[in-house]
Amino acid sequence: MNLDDMLAATRFQSYVYAYPHKTAYRRIEPALPLGPLWADEPRRDSLFLYLHVPFCEHRCGFCNLFTRPVPADELVEAYLATLARQARIVRDALASGGSFAFARAAIGGGTPTLLDAHQLERVLQMMQLPAGIPMSVETSPETALPDRLGVLVAGGADRISIGVQSFVEAECRAVNRPQDPAIVHRALRAIRDAGPATLNVDLMYGLPAQTAATWQHTLGSALEYAPEEVYLYPLYVRPLTTLGKKGAEATDRHRIELYEQARAELLAAGYRQISLRMFRRGALPASPVYCCQDDGMVGLGCGARSYTRGVHYSSEWAVGARGVRDIIDRWIGRSDAELGCADYGFVLDAGEQRRRWLILSLLSDEGLDLAAYATRFGAPALAHFPELAELAQRGLATHVDNRLALTHAGLAHADAIGPWLYSEQVRARMQEYDLT
Ligand SMILES: C[S@@+](CC[C@H](N)C(=O)[O-])C[C@H]1O[C@@H](n2cnc3c(N)ncnc32)[C@H](O)[C@@H]1O
Ligand code: SF4
């Protein structure tokens, strides 16, 4: 796609938090044993451990994350049993290639705090993390309970991220997320009381019937808790979600106006914009982010992705209730041998590795370090990706200290610039993906 077509289309094309997108993953045959796969990973001393809990107390109408609502107790127990088995198998596989260490961790979902305090303790034991490394955990208003948060903070969580979306009950109801604002306030107080962890609040804009006034109320209510980070998510209506099936729409104009309003509000309140979605306050140490260009990520759990430099892999993925249920059931029944292999994912050749580095760098506030790129890949980024020059010509990116960084206009178009940089191969695979 040329840049003009890209700019003429909606700027809300796709949230690029990883590259390649999981809909470009396919079966890997023959399956790759994890020991040899990880043996040659360059930075084995600073791996990122991600653990996925694919359960929630309900399925929100906008959400296409890999999660199953209201799981039976037996299902959760069976899941934790397989998770413990997988943690041991993956650890043994990593150790077979020599020494390794985790430098960062995250527990995500779904809603990890759907697990009770005792189950969370078991999860932390499975992870066997060294003391003092940064660890982020996702939670929701209903499940951010003091005993669960206490276990997590005592176990090393130094960042708690809560999905709030809106402080207006009717707006949440309209997107099938039953949520009492009093419960949200209770949860935010509980997180602050749990200890000195960084607080991140997720908010959404472009919700049906959301106005400048209700958005202002939501922003102001969140800022009462002085969160160190705020993520602002533009609403996407995605296939197979309840909103998607209802034919709901999110217009560009609505989202753009609310984005500009929130950006101005947060900058005035002392926040710095890190990416289209992320705003951060104060001089914090860098908190764990999900898509560092360089680090190996070891995923545990059904729905978790793992990244070596050359292979990205995971379990299969679905959005629809039946698809998610079947994938979780199959995953729970996996043999030790199956848990010890990568059999579904994407093999990145040299070109895709360069492209991944480029996209993830450019979409973050640090921008693309041109010298580091040339050193690492043996040629200037502009030689590999001449189309980058167009971004600067259109005022979407600028050169600062030998970095190519998005401008304000570029950040606002990040969800279009990311997909514009996808390779033909990834684009074609995503288009032919059969979403069930
Ligand atoms: C794992 S959830 C957060 C934790 C917890 N499950 C909750 O919802 O409270 C990740 C975040 O993705 C965002 N999100 C999910 N689907 C979205 C969509 N279709 N459009 C915009 N944002 C979305 C929401 O802001 C949500 O808080
Ligand atoms: S937004 Fe959060 S609570 Fe809602 S379905 Fe998605 S992961 Fe679950």
Side-chain angles (χ1 to χ4, degrees):
M1 191 194 280
N2 70 38
L3 193 59
D4 286 330
D5 291 343
M6 185 271 276
L7 290 172
T10 173
R11 67 166 79 169
F12 298 103
Q13 289 183 24
S14 186
Y15 175 22
V16 184
Y17 51 87
Y19 179 82
H21 191 266
K22 54 190 176 281
T23 52
Y25 289 16
R26 294 292 183 274
R27 196 135 303 285
I28 299 175
E29 283 169 331
L32 304 168
L34 298 185
L37 180 58
W38 281 96
D40 296 330
E41 188 62 16
R43 290 167 38 129
R44 289 172 50 98
D45 58 343
S46 57
L47 299 173
F48 182 2
L49 183 64
Y50 174 75
L51 186 141
H52 193 76
V53 179
F55 303 122
C56 288
E57 65 265 45
H58 50 77
R59 167 64 92 170
C60 303
F62 52 82
C63 183
N64 71 346
L65 295 173
F66 187 84
T67 191
R68 178 168 177 178
V70 280
D73 292 346
E74 307 77 62
L75 178 72
V76 176
E77 277 304 320
Y79 183 78
L80 292 177
T82 301
L83 196 56
R85 209 156 44 88
Q86 186 196 27
R88 180 178 47 75
I89 289 166
V90 170
R91 183 166 282 279
D92 289 350
L94 286 167
S96 71
S99 65
F100 70 94
F102 291 113
R104 296 181 300 150
I107 308 177
T111 306
T113 46
L114 191 77
L115 302 179
D116 66 27
H118 179 59
Q119 289 169 328
L120 288 169
E121 264 168 15
R122 286 162 57 196
V123 163
L124 289 167
Q125 277 162 12
M126 292 172 204
M127 294 173 85
Q128 291 189 33
L129 295 168
I133 66 164
M135 177 165 69
S136 178
V137 183
E138 286 172 4
T139 188
S140 72
E142 289 279 349
T143 61
L145 300 172
D147 60 337
R148 299 178 193 187
L149 295 168
V151 165
L152 292 166
V153 171
D158 66 348
R159 178 177 182 270
I160 310 279
S161 175
I162 182 167
V164 169
Q165 328 310 352
S166 167
F167 282 85
V168 179
E169 194 166 6
E171 282 175 6
C172 294
R173 208 178 320 114
V175 290
N176 302 77
R177 182 175 165 106
Q179 182 169 285
D180 176 354
I183 304 279
V184 180
H185 285 289
R186 181 192 74 181
L188 287 162
R189 278 195 298 274
I191 295 171
R192 281 308 195 198
D193 290 347
T198 292
L199 166 64
N200 174 75
V201 177
D202 288 346
L203 302 175
M204 283 173 68
Y205 58 95
L207 297 172
Q210 195 173 30
T211 64
T214 63
W215 185 218
Q216 195 65 34
H217 169 70
T218 286
L219 290 166
S221 303
L223 292 183
E224 280 174 28
Y225 297 88
E228 286 77 12
E229 294 173 7
V230 180
Y231 262 79
L232 302 180
Y233 285 92
L235 172 67
Y236 273 87
V237 177
R238 294 178 164 128
L240 295 189
T241 61
T242 315
L243 286 191
K245 287 191 251 179
K246 273 193 207 160
E249 269 188 45
T251 68
D252 277 19
R253 191 160 158 234
H254 192 210
R255 285 178 290 187
I256 291 168
E257 283 173 5
L258 297 175
Y259 164 72
E260 292 296 346
Q261 177 187 346
R263 178 176 184 272
E265 177 79 15
L266 290 179
L267 294 185
Y271 287 80
R272 197 160 66 88
Q273 185 167 17
I274 307 295
S275 66
L276 172 60
R277 287 171 180 70
M278 185 187 190
F279 292 76
R280 185 183 285 155
R281 180 175 65 77
L284 286 169
S287 56
V289 285
Y290 288 90
C291 51
C292 176
Q293 302 90 315
D294 218 11
D295 290 349
M297 184 160 91
V298 178
L300 294 178
C302 186
R305 276 170 284 173
S306 301
Y307 306 144
T308 65
R309 195 167 277 194
V311 181
H312 290 186
Y313 62 92
S314 69
S315 52
E316 302 144 279
W317 181 67
V319 178
R322 176 183 285 265
V324 173
R325 193 186 59 203
D326 290 351
I327 290 171
I328 295 178
D329 287 350
R330 277 202 296 277
W331 185 84
I332 286 172
R334 286 196 138 205
S335 67
D336 287 7
E338 287 168 324
L339 289 170
C341 286
D343 60 6
Y344 186 78
F346 192 102
V347 178
L348 288 86
D349 61 18
E352 294 290 12
Q353 290 179 30
R354 292 197 291 263
R355 197 174 282 278
R356 173 174 193 252
W357 174 287
L358 162 77
I359 293 175
L360 298 186
S361 305
L362 194 61
L363 297 186
S364 77
D365 69 326
E366 64 198 46
L368 177 66
D369 181 330
L370 296 167
Y373 181 97
T375 306
R376 174 147 177 184
F377 297 112
L382 274 155
H384 286 143
F385 302 101
E387 64 269 37
L388 287 175
E390 290 181 63
L391 291 177
Q393 283 155 15
R394 304 295 178 94
L396 297 171
T398 182
H399 287 90
V400 191
D401 300 335
N402 209 21
R403 284 170 188 272
L404 185 68
L406 295 184
T407 58
H408 167 42
L411 274 179
H413 286 84
D415 280 10
I417 293 172
W420 176 66
L421 289 167
Y422 288 176
S423 69
E424 284 307 320
Q425 174 194 208
V426 165
R427 205 187 300 276
R429 280 197 187 197
M430 289 175 69
Q431 274 163 7
E432 71 189 25
Y433 185 80
D434 180 18
L435 193 63
T436 52

